[in-house]
Amino acid sequence: MKPLSLRPYLSPPAVRRRALPSRHYAVQAPGAPTLQVFNRHTKYLQKERAAADAEQSRKVDYLKDEVATRLCERLLDIKRPLPHVLDLGAHACNIARVLTLPNPDPDPAAPASPPLSARVSRLTAADSSPTLLHRDGALPFNALIPLTRATLPDEEYLPYPEGHFDAVLSSLSLHWVNNLPALLAQIVHVLRPDAPFLAAIFGGDTLYELRTALQLADLDRRGGVSPHVSPLADVRDVGGLLGKAGFKMLTVDVDDIVVDYPSSFALMQDLQTMGEGNAVLGREMGPVRREVLAAGEAIYRELYGNEDGSLPATFRVIYMIGWKAGEGQPEPLPRGSGQINMKDVLEGGSIKERG
């Protein structure tokens, strides 16, 4: 049966005199479009809950402390003083604690040296979680470095004027940023000319063992896959992002840190206590089903288990260094100005200088 039409019952003049409604069209906002991957408010709540129990939170600082130590070791190659440094995404001021450690050079043959804090006149530690930021405010290292804590509404937006800092450091925070290119551009803005930016983030293959085990468990028990581990940047993309933001003299390297856990449940508990839980916008709400967790544990052990019964978890850390352009800064030579043919070198031939 055809649906009843009202058109025959309307008088033709009424139809012709009907005013057309105004139409509003969606338009692209200025600037490049931003893909929202992470729920920043969820990440804030995760960090606040994790820091509420200070003792448990400190027990899982082993990874943040290790990465902060390796990041600060790169400051040993920068011989100049750093009057004002920003620690962006400071967590519980792990970088500040590392800067106060005596003899920071890891080379046992190197002579004893003063702590890196001797080069820093002022350190601003900024984070969106006030509970985590002030968690260790009463510990002794606070008296060894001029430290100012600043709570930001969101680490993606820097409320600082141009040329405000002599260096910007960030350890294990930027992998939760939605618009990383825009944040890198802001970091360039707040740096003084010829000032360095050093950061460490989790890279693409981080927790690939857990990711694989849970995906296979989901397929086996539910017939589909839900994102249990957040997506991460690839090392091949980092250099391009730094260059587009305006950084010069780029250095990017990768380090794998493998931690053994008694079970996948212990690993996931530590991640939650660190405040590193899943914050993807499209994640499935609520806890993971028990049968999926049990299957994931069995798959994890079968694919990656150690002989001693422990389970390895790989954390791939990408370290990046970039410098804001400044007067007198070294510049690469123009293309075509080289005097040695690299083809001869790579193919094992003799080195021939160009005439």
Side-chain angles (χ1 to χ4, degrees), residues 182-204:
L183 180 59
L184 292 175
Q186 293 180 67
I187 293 173
V188 172
H189 179 77
V190 302
L191 281 171
R192 292 191 174 97
D194 195 29
F197 164 62
L198 298 86
I201 63 173
F202 284 133

Side-chain angles (χ1 to χ4, degrees), residues 81-87 120-126 148 150 152 158-169 185-196 324:
L82 302 171
H84 193 184
V85 177
L86 172 65
D87 179 8
V120 179
S121 302
R122 179 184 174 191
L123 176 65
T124 297
T148 301
L152 300 180
L158 303 183
Y160 302 108
E162 182 178 3
H164 194 61
F165 297 103
D166 299 280
V168 174
L169 309 179
Q186 293 180 67
I187 293 173
V188 172
H189 179 77
V190 302
L191 281 171
R192 292 191 174 97
D194 195 29
K324 183 174 180 177

Side-chain angles (χ1 to χ4, degrees), residues 49-79:
R49 284 194 293 263
D53 189 338
E55 290 303 319
Q56 287 298 321
S57 180
R58 292 190 184 104
K59 289 180 181 179
V60 296
D61 265 356
Y62 52 86
L63 194 59
K64 293 176 182 176
D65 287 340
E66 179 65 24
V67 174
T69 300
R70 299 188 186 192
L71 179 66
C72 290
E73 286 174 0
R74 287 155 170 80
L75 286 173
L76 294 171
D77 298 324
I78 302 175
K79 304 303 182 181

Side-chain angles (χ1 to χ4, degrees), residues 83-234:
H84 193 184
V85 177
L86 172 65
D87 179 8
L88 179 59
H91 301 296
C93 300
N94 305 79
I95 284 180
R97 187 185 301 109
V98 171
L99 290 176
T100 63
L101 297 178
N103 196 24
D105 197 325
D107 185 1
S113 58
L116 289 168
S117 58
R119 304 183 191 175
V120 179
S121 302
R122 179 184 174 191
L123 176 65
T124 297
D127 199 280
S128 62
S129 170
T131 305
L132 183 60
L133 186 63
H134 294 271
R135 188 197 70 184
D136 295 339
L139 295 186
F141 77 87
N142 290 270
L144 303 177
I145 186 171
L147 176 61
T148 301
R149 290 173 168 84
T151 302
L152 300 180
D154 196 327
E155 292 97 337
E156 294 196 18
Y157 305 98
L158 303 183
Y160 302 108
E162 182 178 3
H164 194 61
F165 297 103
D166 299 280
V168 174
L169 309 179
S170 182
S171 180
L172 297 185
S173 176
L174 299 187
H175 55 276
W176 292 115
V177 170
N178 282 307
N179 194 351
L180 186 55
L183 180 59
L184 292 175
Q186 293 180 67
I187 293 173
V188 172
H189 179 77
V190 302
L191 281 171
R192 292 191 174 97
D194 195 29
F197 164 62
L198 298 86
I201 63 173
F202 284 133
D205 285 340
T206 294
L207 297 177
Y208 73 89
E209 305 97 339
L210 179 64
R211 190 193 313 266
T212 301
L214 290 179
Q215 286 178 348
L216 293 176
D218 263 338
L219 284 172
D220 181 63
R221 293 295 186 268
R222 304 174 58 195
V225 176
S226 178
H228 298 295
V229 181
S230 301
L232 299 168
D234 191 87

